[in-house]
Amino acid sequence: FNHYARPFDRQLVELALPSSLVQAGSYHLRDGNGTAWPAEMLDGGRLLFPVSVGPRGAIGFTLVRGASPAGSTDLTVGDQRASDGTLTVSNAFYAVTLSQADGGTVTHLISKRTGKDYGLKSFDVNYGRFSHYDPNKPAVDSVAYINESKTVLANRRCEWKRVEVGPLRAVVAAEVGDENVRCRTTYEFRAHTPYFRVHRQLEFVGKQVPQEIVVIDGRFRRNALSKSFPNFVGEVNNAAQPHFGWRYGHWVPDYLTLMTPPGFEESLSFIVLRKEGLDQVRQGFWPAERPKSGPCEQARIELIAQHATVCDVEFVVYLHREHQVAAARLLEELHDPPLATLTMEPLWR
């Protein structure tokens, strides 16, 4: 049942099956016309399948034992044995390339609608010093305040720990670390879905806790991105500057957006679903190396831990039209998805 005032086209929903059915094997669905719809069993006995339904509408299916009939979705996964250690996953909305040589980061994030590539070793981990504050000589500008010295995990090769490809989703897990940090990142990509999930589990095991751990470094090619939410910073121009607007806050919002005013042709949002250990966010627009003056090349969202040494973070990455309002709608939908329920003995029998 779609309780929203907007239609869903091949929206993926999850249905919890009783243990007696889970043990019986695989299933697919058939609609009232007898047309087969793909389905995929997830952990915990949940069945994943697509539905197309109008606003405030409902649709019924018959659960049929047996694997999903051969059929195509928009989800494709590249060669898992690529010689350069990359893996590309794509659907109708994006193409994402993960790089083993770059710590399992996203080196390409291409919007299918606009053709723009936002990937820039995105979703790296780094730790160390960001700034220096001397109470006897307070900094008067960002150049004096920012004194960055970081260890970057994107410089290390990761190991693929899990690569699963089904008819409706692909899951890739990467592990990377050094003498101080252990990090596992799980990416989940779904068919017919304009966003993908990132789950990061991180532990700092070093003896000297750094000033900050950037648990998620959302570093992107700027393209036309020029304003951020929250904080609404961004003063992008063609001059060479040490920064183009940045701020930080001692809280982590439920959603953050990098956008393209005034037309808002394409925005990039994080919707944060889990934020254990995080206590700070930093957003801004930067040259290639901050705070050295240069043209604006990066749009950045950094999710930071200043006190915790164990972090568990999950979020979705969403390319969309409009601005943060679209991210707020998706957050609502993720917390309150369309209702799917199973009737073991339908009334029409």
Side-chain angles (χ1 to χ4, degrees), residues 20-40:
S20 58
L21 293 182
V22 173
Q23 296 168 1
S26 58
Y27 295 91
H28 67 278
L29 302 173
R30 292 188 181 270
D31 61 22
N33 296 319
T35 302
W37 290 67
E40 183 174 343

Side-chain angles (χ1 to χ4, degrees), residues 27 52 123 144-145 160 220 235 254 258 262 282 307 323 339:
Y27 295 91
S52 295
F123 317 121
Y145 178 70
W160 300 137
F220 304 102
E235 303 169 0
D254 291 336
L258 300 167
R282 185 164 54 234
H307 300 97
H323 39 70
L339 174 64

Side-chain angles (χ1 to χ4, degrees), residues 78-346:
D79 186 358
Q80 300 177 30
R81 298 166 297 177
S83 59
D84 63 355
T86 62
L87 181 63
T88 298
V89 183
S90 65
N91 65 15
F93 300 95
Y94 57 73
V96 173
T97 299
L98 307 174
S99 173
Q100 195 170 26
D102 298 302
T105 60
V106 171
T107 52
H108 297 285
L109 170 52
I110 299 172
S111 166
K112 292 289 188 72
R113 185 170 58 83
T114 65
K116 293 175 180 176
D117 186 355
Y118 295 93
L120 193 62
K121 295 185 181 180
S122 309
F123 317 121
D124 183 25
V125 171
N126 59 72
Y127 62 92
R129 184 184 67 237
F130 174 73
S131 60
H132 175 70
Y133 174 70
D134 182 352
N136 296 317
K137 190 179 179 182
V140 295
D141 57 30
S142 294
V143 175
Y145 178 70
I146 298 173
N147 186 13
E148 198 161 18
S149 177
K150 296 282 186 65
T151 299
V152 178
L153 292 194
N155 295 333
R156 291 180 169 266
R157 185 179 180 85
C158 79
E159 293 184 29
W160 300 137
K161 289 297 184 180
R162 176 187 178 194
V163 180
E164 296 179 5
V165 181
L168 293 172
R169 69 167 192 159
V171 178
V172 182
E175 288 188 0
V176 66
D178 60 13
E179 65 275 11
N180 293 314
V181 172
R182 306 286 183 266
C183 177
R184 181 182 178 94
T185 307
T186 303
Y187 298 92
E188 185 192 66
F189 308 94
R190 293 187 173 189
H192 314 302
T193 303
Y195 57 85
F196 59 92
R197 291 177 182 252
V198 183
H199 181 200
R200 171 151 296 158
Q201 298 161 293
L202 179 145
E203 182 179 9
F204 189 88
V205 296
K207 295 181 179 179
Q208 187 67 37
V209 178
Q211 183 189 71
E212 67 175 32
I213 304 168
V214 180
V215 181
I216 304 292
D217 189 352
R219 181 176 58 233
F220 304 102
R221 300 179 193 274
R222 188 182 72 83
N223 292 307
L225 299 170
S226 61
K227 193 71 74 174
S228 69
F229 171 89
N231 294 321
F232 292 104
V233 298
E235 303 169 0
V236 176
N237 55 52
N238 294 324
Q241 298 178 185
H243 69 89
F244 297 82
W246 72 280
R247 287 183 185 173
Y248 67 86
H250 293 283
W251 89 106
V252 179
D254 291 336
Y255 54 93
L256 307 97
T257 301
L258 300 167
M259 47 195 163
T260 54
F264 302 101
E265 173 65 17
E266 184 162 75
S267 297
L268 191 158
S269 290
F270 284 13
I271 293 90
V272 184
L273 305 175
R274 185 182 308 165
K275 40 188 160 183
E276 296 174 15
L278 300 179
D279 51 27
Q280 190 180 92
V281 62
R282 185 164 54 234
Q283 297 170 275
F285 299 87
W286 306 92
E289 184 178 354
R290 64 186 180 193
K292 294 183 179 179
S293 288
C296 189
E297 297 186 14
Q298 301 181 24
R300 214 157 171 175
I301 297 173
E302 297 165 272
L303 305 182
I304 301 166
Q306 287 195 314
H307 300 97
T309 56
V310 177
C311 299
D312 193 346
V313 180
E314 185 176 4
F315 62 102
V316 304
V317 183
Y318 181 32
L319 289 169
H320 57 91
R321 295 182 186 269
E322 300 183 277
H323 39 70
Q324 73 276 2
V325 173
R329 284 197 299 264
L330 179 56
L331 175 66
E332 179 187 20
E333 182 184 309
L334 291 170
H335 284 313
D336 187 19
L339 174 64
T341 186
L342 178 67
T343 301
M344 298 297 290
E345 297 183 2

